[in-house]
Amino acid sequence: RPGVNDEVAGALSRLAAVARALITATSLRALFERALDVVFENTPVEHAFLLLHDASGNQLVPKAGRSRDGGSGSFPISQSIASHVFRRNESILTLDAPDDPRFDGESIMAQNIRSVMCAPLLNHDSTLGVLFAGSTSGRIALKEHHLHLLTVIANLAAVAIDQTRLRERIEEELLLRSRLTRYHSPTLVDELLASSGGRGAMPPAEREVSVLFADIVGFSTRTERMAPAAVSRLLNGLFSELVEIIFSHEGTLDKFLGDGLMAIFGAPNDLPNHASRAVECAL
């Protein structure tokens, strides 16, 4: 039927727009705020909140929240309802929260919470948190289709959160890898990232090492009549070759010193033959 087909097409178009808005968010903060935008655009709720589960404290922590008029102060969130949804992985709709036997009516009444929808942020087999929306007045008539839409928004938001977290971790590792590669061989960079869980940090250690200093003989005399650009090309070309030699002997570049450099053998990777490696590298 034309009317039904138009309604289905409209619903699919709205869902596609929701998915596009969430998946293309550039950061977690932008994603959280966009999720709230979508809730307000598609439901009549007065307030909306996104809470993520903090495993260290085993609690749901608000990450974003505001009212329809744009206020971002302290608004009512029922931890009783949010925890119920998170534990059971089921969306709920209640039009009279204080009298709902499933929840702590006393605390809900104290916060003047009336109509509530809440949906879990489900991604694969894990629950990241909940999307909580509701009102403090009896004027808001929430329907089942509002709950279905909130559930879809929560599911899409969970996928987007997972993707954004993964993208941020990859970007951090690429930046860290770029920094580490300036001082360590690619093989050692892989070992550092693997041993530190991708953080590139290692616990302090005290050990015996060998240190190599190398500089250009007669650099001042050689370069006093050279143009600055020529000096730069000389140093860049030479240092590029020397660093490759250091890395091939499992050394670590410590720093450049004008026309020279300093390299360490035996740290951060433990080399029992660090002295001979340093001598071989020098030769």
Side-chain angles (χ1 to χ4, degrees):
R1 292 173 295 175
V4 174
N5 291 337
D6 291 344
E7 185 177 343
V8 171
L12 291 175
S13 177
R14 286 195 300 274
L15 290 178
V18 168
R20 185 165 55 251
L22 296 176
I23 297 298
T24 58
T26 56
S27 66
L28 282 177
R29 170 52 57 185
L31 171 56
F32 298 156
E33 294 300 329
R34 192 67 190 102
L36 299 187
D37 290 341
V38 171
V39 172
F40 287 124
E41 289 165 4
N42 294 277
T43 71
V45 296
E46 294 177 347
H47 314 297
F49 309 89
L50 190 148
L51 301 89
L52 292 184
H53 182 246
D54 176 16
S56 61
N58 192 26
Q59 60 183 339
L60 291 168
V61 180
K63 293 297 182 179
R66 65 174 187 268
S67 64
R68 180 171 289 277
D69 61 12
S72 57
S74 178
F75 297 115
I77 303 176
S78 170
Q79 286 289 342
S80 172
I81 295 176
S83 298
H84 176 94
V85 169
F86 179 80
R87 290 194 308 269
R88 296 181 177 235
N89 287 336
E90 62 180 18
S91 299
I92 63 101
L93 166 62
T94 177
L95 299 180
D96 194 2
D99 292 330
D100 194 315
R102 294 174 294 179
F103 314 118
D104 180 3
E106 185 175 340
S107 65
I108 291 173
M109 187 177 297
Q111 298 182 79
N112 197 31
I113 297 174
R114 301 300 302 179
S115 301
V116 170
M117 294 190 299
C118 191
L121 297 168
L122 286 172
N123 185 36
H124 301 300
D125 57 350
S126 64
T127 307
L128 307 183
V130 300
L131 193 55
F132 185 101
S135 70
T136 54
S137 71
R139 299 189 303 272
I140 305 301
L142 296 176
K143 308 292 186 182
E144 282 295 329
H145 71 270
H146 293 136
L147 180 63
H148 295 327
L149 185 56
L150 185 78
T151 302
V152 171
I153 294 171
N155 289 338
L156 291 172
V159 173
I161 289 170
D162 217 30
Q163 289 189 349
T164 302
R165 283 174 168 173
L166 176 60
R167 183 172 66 247
E168 290 182 350
R169 284 198 299 270
I170 292 174
E171 290 173 353
E172 290 174 0
E173 182 172 326
L174 288 174
L175 178 60
L176 181 57
R177 181 178 292 275
S178 174
R179 292 173 176 171
L180 290 173
T181 302
R182 297 171 57 190
Y183 304 99
H184 307 292
S185 68
T187 301
L188 180 55
V189 170
D190 290 338
E191 293 176 5
L192 287 172
L193 291 175
S195 63
S196 63
R199 297 186 303 272
M202 299 183 70
E206 191 171 316
R207 63 173 60 134
E208 184 178 282
V209 301
S210 295
V211 182
L212 180 151
F213 292 93
D215 59 57
I216 301 173
V217 175
F219 178 75
S220 298
T221 302
R222 179 190 299 267
T223 59
E224 61 185 6
R225 291 185 176 84
M226 294 173 62
V231 175
S232 177
R233 287 194 297 272
L234 171 66
L235 290 176
N236 287 337
L238 181 62
F239 285 154
S240 294
E241 292 190 38
L242 296 186
V243 168
E244 288 300 320
I245 296 171
I246 291 169
F247 288 170
S248 70
H249 289 80
E250 297 190 69
T252 296
L253 175 66
D254 183 80
K255 63 174 69 72
F256 293 112
L257 303 163
D259 65 318
L261 54 76
M262 173 181 169
I264 298 174
F265 296 81
N269 54 326
D270 189 17
L271 291 175
N273 58 341
H274 55 82
S276 60
R277 289 292 184 98
V279 172
E280 291 168 3
C281 179
L283 292 174

